[in-house]
């Protein structure tokens, strides 16, 4: 069973707004066995919309549309849907009552206008989907075997409609296959090296199970996908293949994508062992601390961070000896180690992570080549520092280094 997602809005096409809606919709559809055949972004322009609707209906079973449902003249989705389905707009009393209620309850000092009341106009052939979080209703229209669903482009409004209305209705309308994914997250080895290591296993995969490599800045996700009519058989086959795969990559596996992130795994380790952590970050600019504090309950083990971006901050706050900087440069194993020791002593923690490096585009206070990175882990009984070459693109250097820092920290904690 196939679906197409159509996102409407000039703001997407000029890069002013990132299309996160399609990713969410695709994931929700996949859960019920609906495969997305195509994602299309188009202008708020009548001919483009009409052509997109027609072409999509010839390719797929379900067409999901987001955007273009506002009350202003540039939002023409409802009018174009009427033209496409040879329909007309009619006022829906329930939608009108909802719009008036929202204005009375939440929009202070702004009286409802005729423009706002126009949100209650919907195609007569449409089934209205209640939008509890906004004024623009969702709309569902069936044409033969094809179902069209139109939803607002505001993400939190669209998400509520997808979960509460759209997914249940599609599940009731269509008989769908089962789709199962299992994504194994690995760190510390490149895509080609992993592929070589598991080549024999991959060649022997059953025809209904596919493997995809998803590399991303220091980690590679291995996604196994299976599709078929019998869920139990698919799940059993997926588990059997996973059991064959794990021994081949056990040293680089850090969990499943849908289970826990690497920072969550580290958080559990620190909590279970009653250990504390601090960070001293230079070129990573607090991104390690940001990921740590994104995990609920981080205050129980994370004591704080020093973002010592400038050399003076390393010397004055972390007490890095000035002679180390002069002798080895600010981007060095010696300075990284001193930063980690300084953070651990300052915060009185069991572990400290430190990063120093040259993320580019210029060399800054060091002669180290762009992409040169040192990561140090200081523990109560262990001391670790390692040099890495993370590439030449600033964002890539930073993100890969953050991932590597968590990977190294986990390994050091597990030694205790």
């Amino acid at each position: 069973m196939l679906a197409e997602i159509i996102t409407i809005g000039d703001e997407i096409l000029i890069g002013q707004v990132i299309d996160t809606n399609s990713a969410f919709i695709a994931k929700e559809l996949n859960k019920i066995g609906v495969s997305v055949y195509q994602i299309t972004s188009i202008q708020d322009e009548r001919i483009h919309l009409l052509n997109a609707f027609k072409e999509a209906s010839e390719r797929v079973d379900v067409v999901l549309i987001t955007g273009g449902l506002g009350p202003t003249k540039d939002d023409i989705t409802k009018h174009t849907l009427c033209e496409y389905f040879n329909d007309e707009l009619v006022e829906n009393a329930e939608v009108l009552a909802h719009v008036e209620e929202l204005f009375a309850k939440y929009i202070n000092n702004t009286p409802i206008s005729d423009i706002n009341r126009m949100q209650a106009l919907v195609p007569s052939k449409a089934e209205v989907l209640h939008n509890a979080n906004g004024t623009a209703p969702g709309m569902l229209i069936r044409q033969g075997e094809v179902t069209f669903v139109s939803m607002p482009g505001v993400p939190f409004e669209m998400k509520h409609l997808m979960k509460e209305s759209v997914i249940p209705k599609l599940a009731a309308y269509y008989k769908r296959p089962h789709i199962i994914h299992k994504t194994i997250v690995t760190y510390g080895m490149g895509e080609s090296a992993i592929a070589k290591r598991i080549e024999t296993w991959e060649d022997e995969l059953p025809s209904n199970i596919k493997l995809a490599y998803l590399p991303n800045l220091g980690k590679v996700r291995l996604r196994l996908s299976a599709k078929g009519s019998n869920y139990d058989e698919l799940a059993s086959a997926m588990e059997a293949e996973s059991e064959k795969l794990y021994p081949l990559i056990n040293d680089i596996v850090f969990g499943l994508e849908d289970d826990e992130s690497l920072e969550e795994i580290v958080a559990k380790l620190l909590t279970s062992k009653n250990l504390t952590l601090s960070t001293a970050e230079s070129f990573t600019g607090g991104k390690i601390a940001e990921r740590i504090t994104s995990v609920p309950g981080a205050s129980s083990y994370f004591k704080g961070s020093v973002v010592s971006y400038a050399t003076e901050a390393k010397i004055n706050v972390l007490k890095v000896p000035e002679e180390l900087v002069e002798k080895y440069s600010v981007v060095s194993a010696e300075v990284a180690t001193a930063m980690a020791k300084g953070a651990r002593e300052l915060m009185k923690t069991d572990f400290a992570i430190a990063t120093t490096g040259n993320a580019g585009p210029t060399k800054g206070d060091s002669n180290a080549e762009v992409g040169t990175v040192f990561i140090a882990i200081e523990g109560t009984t262990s001391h670790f520092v390692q040099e890495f070459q993370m590439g030449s693109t600033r964002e890539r250097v930073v993100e890969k280094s953050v991932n590597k820092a968590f990977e190294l920290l986990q390994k050091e904690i597990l030694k205790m």
Side-chain angles (χ1 to χ4, degrees):
M1 180 179 172
L2 300 177
E4 181 162 335
I5 301 168
I6 299 175
T7 60
I8 300 171
D10 296 347
E11 64 275 10
I12 295 173
L13 296 173
I14 65 173
Q16 188 175 27
V17 172
I18 297 173
D19 174 25
T20 59
N21 284 350
S22 293
F24 177 85
I25 293 170
K27 285 183 179 180
E28 293 302 306
L29 292 173
N30 207 258
K31 291 176 184 177
I32 63 167
V34 180
S35 301
V36 174
Y37 178 81
Q38 183 166 310
I39 298 173
T40 307
S41 294
I42 58 177
Q43 294 178 331
D44 284 294
E45 200 276 322
R46 171 179 159 273
I47 296 299
H48 281 187
L49 267 65
L50 291 172
N51 288 338
F53 297 163
K54 181 179 183 297
E55 291 168 5
S57 70
E58 295 170 351
R59 288 189 287 253
V60 299
D61 307 288
V62 181
V63 181
L64 296 111
I65 305 158
T66 67
L69 295 181
T72 53
K73 291 181 179 180
D74 61 323
D75 290 310
I76 62 171
T77 300
K78 287 193 294 187
H79 296 279
T80 311
L81 283 170
C82 282
E83 183 175 352
Y84 181 77
F85 289 106
N86 191 26
D87 199 1
E88 62 180 357
L89 293 173
V90 296
E91 185 177 282
N92 184 286
E94 292 181 0
V95 176
L96 180 59
H98 175 64
V99 172
E100 291 175 339
E101 179 185 4
L102 287 179
F103 266 80
K105 193 173 183 178
Y106 298 113
I107 306 177
N108 299 323
N109 303 318
T110 304
I112 187 170
S113 68
D114 289 339
I115 292 178
N116 300 122
R117 290 189 179 93
M118 288 175 63
Q119 291 288 64
L121 296 177
V122 297
S124 68
K125 297 177 182 178
E127 177 184 351
V128 173
L129 308 178
H130 178 60
N131 178 8
N133 297 319
T135 60
M139 296 169 290
L140 185 150
I141 306 174
R142 301 200 72 188
Q143 184 182 61
E145 295 301 314
V146 181
T147 301
F148 282 75
V149 179
S150 178
M151 297 175 287
V154 180
F156 75 93
E157 295 182 26
M158 178 277 299
K159 290 177 181 180
H160 181 80
L161 279 167
M162 277 294 296
K163 288 185 174 182
E164 298 301 319
S165 298
V166 178
I167 292 299
K169 289 183 181 297
L170 294 180
Y173 290 158
Y174 296 97
K175 183 177 180 180
R176 297 147 287 110
H178 296 284
I179 301 175
I180 298 177
H181 298 293
K182 186 172 187 177
T183 303
I184 301 167
V185 182
T186 71
Y187 282 85
M189 183 176 288
E191 176 186 10
S192 57
I194 295 174
K196 184 175 182 180
R197 185 189 283 196
I198 66 174
E199 183 178 7
T200 300
W201 168 85
E202 184 178 358
D203 289 342
E204 296 174 355
L205 277 174
S207 59
N208 65 333
I209 298 181
K210 307 297 181 185
L211 173 68
Y213 295 84
L214 307 171
N216 180 25
L217 301 178
K219 66 180 180 181
V220 178
R221 294 172 294 165
L222 303 176
R223 188 189 68 220
L224 288 166
S225 301
K227 186 175 182 179
S229 58
N230 189 305
Y231 179 85
D232 291 337
E233 289 181 1
L234 287 178
S236 178
M238 183 78 81
E239 188 61 29
E241 293 306 320
S242 298
E243 289 178 2
K244 296 176 188 176
L245 174 62
Y246 274 116
L248 303 176
I249 56 173
N250 189 55
D251 58 320
I252 58 173
V253 170
F254 283 85
L256 299 175
E257 182 174 72
D258 293 335
D259 289 350
E260 296 173 311
S261 64
L262 190 51
E263 52 266 33
E264 288 172 325
I265 294 171
V266 167
K268 281 192 172 181
L269 282 172
L270 291 169
T271 303
S272 65
K273 294 177 179 288
N274 197 29
L275 299 171
T276 54
L277 174 67
S278 57
T279 63
E281 302 185 58
S282 182
F283 72 97
T284 50
K287 291 188 179 296
I288 296 174
E290 179 185 7
R291 288 204 9 204
I292 292 169
T293 55
S294 70
V295 179
S299 60
S300 65
Y301 54 85
F302 183 59
K303 301 307 176 186
S305 176
V306 175
V307 181
S308 52
Y309 204 72
T311 301
E312 309 89 79
K314 296 176 179 67
I315 295 170
N316 298 331
V317 180
L318 293 173
K319 308 305 179 185
V320 174
E322 193 167 354
E323 56 267 27
L324 279 183
V325 176
E326 292 175 353
K327 184 176 180 179
Y328 298 105
S329 96
V330 73
V331 179
S332 63
E334 291 76 11
V335 168
T337 300
M339 289 171 62
K341 287 181 178 179
R344 182 170 172 266
E345 292 173 4
L346 179 65
M347 304 288 182
K348 304 293 188 294
T349 56
D350 298 298
F351 279 97
I353 305 172
T355 60
T356 183
N358 187 352
T362 59
K363 291 186 177 182
D365 292 341
S366 171
N367 288 324
E369 292 300 318
V370 171
T372 303
V373 167
F374 289 89
I375 301 174
I377 310 289
E378 185 75 12
T380 54
T381 59
S382 62
H383 316 275
F384 176 90
V385 64
Q386 189 170 344
E387 179 181 358
F388 300 93
Q389 176 50 245
M390 296 297 191
S392 58
T393 304
R394 184 177 181 83
E395 292 79 7
R396 179 183 177 87
V397 171
V398 172
E399 189 65 23
K400 285 185 69 175
S401 300
V402 171
N403 288 336
K404 179 60 72 172
F406 280 110
E407 175 195 335
L408 297 175
L409 176 61
Q410 186 200 31
K411 289 179 178 178
E412 291 302 304
I413 297 172
L414 288 173
K415 292 177 182 178
M416 297 187 67

